[in-house]
Amino acid sequence: MGTQAGGHKPELELPSPVAELLDDRLGAVRLLLKRDDLIHPDFPGNKWRKLAGNLAVAAEQGAETLLTFGGAYSNHIAATAAAGWHFGFRTVGVIRGEEHLPLNPVLAHATEQHGMRLTYLDRTRYRAKRDPGLLAELAAEFGPFYLLPEGGSNELAVAGCAQLATELVGQVPDVDVVVCPVGTGGTLAGLAGGLGPDRQAVGVSVLKGGGFLADEVAAFQRAAFGYTTANWRIAEEFHFGGFARRTPILDAFIDDFAGRHGLLLDWVYVAKMMYGLFAMVADGRISAGSTIVAVITGRREDVVRP
């Protein structure tokens, strides 16, 4: 399959567990956490759902290298590096922005532990990440590759997230609403497609200026299913300044949540989702009496004790 070190197939915890969260701020709403962060330490959150189908196709095609795009704190970059190590692919990460040394913990782990090669594009060139000319330049530098898009979201990933919906409905048959963070839109597209028309999916955008995401979700659904569904929406006001940005208000929420529940939330994705979820319960956008499942899609953080 390739010459990347590794080839040790990981033991995955599937189906991922579901745990009820008791919190007096929820009132008459029942909330459960779908702990996809516990599937495997190297595949944080929803990343295994997105990678599994792509890894199978890459292997069928005889690919030796996986190449993908992401920001400096991208969980997808980390997961792709781990996938290469475990399944015998070389990996290349194309990072948005300039190189900063020393590497942050995400990129350091990807390179030092899992052998990923990194290259960098300024933000203008990065926006052309789908341009055939840029992809040809990358192929000339790194050799032929199987392309994983930014965030890992494509029709194969969307299909994997639809299977996640089927799994969680089997665990929580009375679920009314499923909530997830939104970065590229693939997870929300798959969840909504897999839930069926009688259940709702709500995405909390972690991007500033994420108005384009609705079109992206619809496009993902058309590519994966051949149609779009009407059972989803996106809340755009809980980004706290944009991707990988945080504020004292978000940090206070994270600290309070850890104190109440013994779980330190990933601040890039999951904390923003949970903040938004509690706000939507408080203002009535999520109805009293609902059963909600929040999908923990971010990197597993250290568990703390209250």
Side-chain angles (χ1 to χ4, degrees):
M1 186 186 292
T3 57
Q4 172 74 15
H8 306 291
K9 300 296 176 62
E11 293 186 8
L12 305 174
E13 185 171 350
L14 290 171
S16 62
V18 171
E20 187 160 0
L21 188 82
L22 301 177
D23 192 304
D24 55 12
R25 295 171 293 179
L26 293 169
V29 167
R30 181 182 180 222
L31 175 61
L32 300 101
L33 305 183
K34 176 65 169 164
R35 296 293 305 272
D36 263 22
D37 57 318
L38 301 179
I39 290 174
H40 190 278
D42 284 341
F43 301 109
N46 59 348
K47 299 312 176 188
W48 178 252
R49 311 287 186 176
K50 292 183 172 185
L51 282 168
N54 280 286
L55 292 174
V57 171
E60 289 170 6
Q61 294 178 357
E64 295 188 350
T65 300
L66 308 175
L67 181 142
T68 196
F69 294 81
Y73 288 91
S74 168
N75 287 333
H76 169 67
I77 288 288
T80 300
W85 190 87
H86 282 290
F87 292 94
F89 295 95
R90 300 185 187 95
T91 55
V92 177
V94 183
I95 308 302
R96 180 179 62 246
E98 304 298 324
E99 181 180 26
H100 293 283
L101 296 175
L103 295 176
N104 69 47
V106 173
L107 296 183
H109 193 74
T111 57
E112 295 166 12
Q113 302 299 318
H114 292 141
M116 174 175 270
R117 296 177 66 185
L118 301 180
T119 188
Y120 296 82
L121 294 177
D122 64 54
R123 292 177 183 272
T124 299
R125 293 200 73 208
Y126 188 89
R127 283 194 288 271
K129 55 185 173 289
R130 299 174 183 173
D131 180 71
L134 174 59
L135 297 177
E137 289 179 29
L138 292 168
E141 182 175 357
F142 297 106
F145 54 78
Y146 180 90
L147 177 64
L148 288 164
E150 182 180 41
S153 292
N154 58 14
E155 59 269 27
L156 293 170
V158 172
C161 292
Q163 293 171 1
L164 163 61
T166 301
E167 181 180 299
L168 72 84
V169 168
Q171 295 170 305
V172 190
D174 61 342
V175 59
D176 300 303
V177 181
V178 178
V179 184
C180 69
V182 179
T184 58
T187 299
L188 178 61
L191 280 172
L195 285 174
D198 297 329
R199 299 180 175 92
Q200 295 290 311
V202 177
V204 176
S205 174
V206 302
L207 308 179
K208 185 177 182 180
F212 66 94
L213 284 169
D215 289 339
E216 293 287 300
V217 172
F220 281 133
Q221 288 196 326
R222 284 192 294 270
F225 310 129
Y227 57 85
T228 60
T229 67
N231 63 335
W232 57 271
R233 66 182 190 271
I234 301 174
E236 299 181 12
E237 68 268 40
F238 304 112
H239 55 74
F240 290 91
F243 183 73
R245 299 288 182 88
R246 59 200 297 177
T247 70
I249 292 174
L250 183 64
D251 288 341
F253 176 81
I254 292 169
D255 290 343
D256 178 71
F257 194 93
R260 290 171 183 258
H261 302 296
L263 179 64
L264 186 62
L265 300 174
D266 151 55
W267 62 272
V268 178
Y269 291 95
V270 178
K272 295 178 181 182
M273 172 193 69
M274 293 300 297
Y275 185 99
L277 188 159
F278 276 88
M280 288 185 284
V281 168
D283 67 19
R285 275 182 282 177
I286 295 177
S287 302
S290 298
T291 295
I292 312 171
V293 174
V295 184
I296 307 300
T297 63
R299 177 174 294 278
R300 180 182 180 180
E301 299 289 348
D302 292 333
V303 175
V304 298
R305 296 191 181 279

